[in-house]
Amino acid sequence: HRHRAGRFVTGGFGTFCWLKGGDLLARCAGAAAARAEELGSAGWDFRWVGHCGEDAEALLAAVAADGLADRLSFLGEHARPLELVAEFDVLALLSRQDSYPLAMSEAALVGVPTLAQRGSGGPEQFAGGGGAAVVDAEDHDAVLRALQTLDRHPELRTLMAEAGRRTVLREQ
């Protein structure tokens, strides 16, 4: 990957809502914009592929109010969403609860590694095989540091993507 037009793309996938961590991705986009010099994140973009849930209107209003429309794109629902997910450099799986997120497996199959938060369910199991990096729940600084590492080390993203794919294929 990498970086299409020099951009590092972090994406979310699924229903954009509080439970799936849409607000956390938006906060990370805001923090990355505010700390661009420190993090080297001026070339970072954030995207969400999927349906907007019940609370999405408030989340979208917050994104607009924070001036993040140029950093966080909502791509909506698509007939073939994995084609868009394949353009991510990393899937940010920031769900608050998800016993075994299908998005993580689907991203792995198209060569995208996952960054997930601890305690949400299945990501720890997936990370055990090397296919995901796991950070503490709701720790924006940890998410940003992990994204910084993944941005700077494309070889690590490649290793994680390969490990994730092997994990998914082994479970089939």
Side-chain angles (χ1 to χ4, degrees), residues 100 104 114 116 118 122-135 160 163-164 167:
Y100 192 88
M104 184 173 54
T114 296
R118 192 170 280 110
E124 290 94 340
Q125 174 188 347
F126 199 75
V134 180
V135 298
M160 288 173 60
T167 297

Side-chain angles (χ1 to χ4, degrees), residues 83-96:
E83 290 178 4
L84 297 174
V85 172
E87 295 178 5
F88 297 169
D89 290 294
V90 62
L91 171 69
L93 185 67
L94 303 177
S95 299
R96 290 180 167 90

Side-chain angles (χ1 to χ4, degrees), residues 135-153:
V135 298
D136 287 335
E138 311 230 8
D139 185 343
H140 304 108
D141 283 334
V143 171
L144 293 172
R145 285 190 307 273
L147 289 175
Q148 182 182 46
T149 297
L150 292 168
D151 178 28
R152 292 181 178 173
H153 299 282

Side-chain angles (χ1 to χ4, degrees), residues 7 21 26 30 37 61 66 68 80 82 85 98 112 114 121 137 141 144-147 153 157 164 172:
R7 309 303 289 178
E37 189 172 321
D66 290 342
L68 297 175
R80 296 177 7 199
L82 292 180
V85 172
D98 209 338
V112 176
T114 296
D141 283 334
L144 293 172
R145 285 190 307 273
L147 289 175
H153 299 282
R157 291 195 313 273
Q172 297 291 317

Side-chain angles (χ1 to χ4, degrees), residues 24-81:
L24 300 176
L25 187 69
R27 281 192 225 143
C28 287
R35 296 170 52 190
E37 189 172 321
E38 169 196 345
L39 295 168
S41 57
W44 292 6
D45 287 327
F46 295 80
R47 299 179 185 164
W48 193 278
V49 175
H51 172 72
C52 286
E54 295 173 7
D55 53 355
E57 189 173 312
L59 295 175
L60 294 171
V63 167
D66 290 342
L68 297 175
D70 63 332
R71 280 289 188 116
L72 179 57
S73 303
F74 295 92
L75 306 178
E77 294 182 78
H78 288 266
R80 296 177 7 199

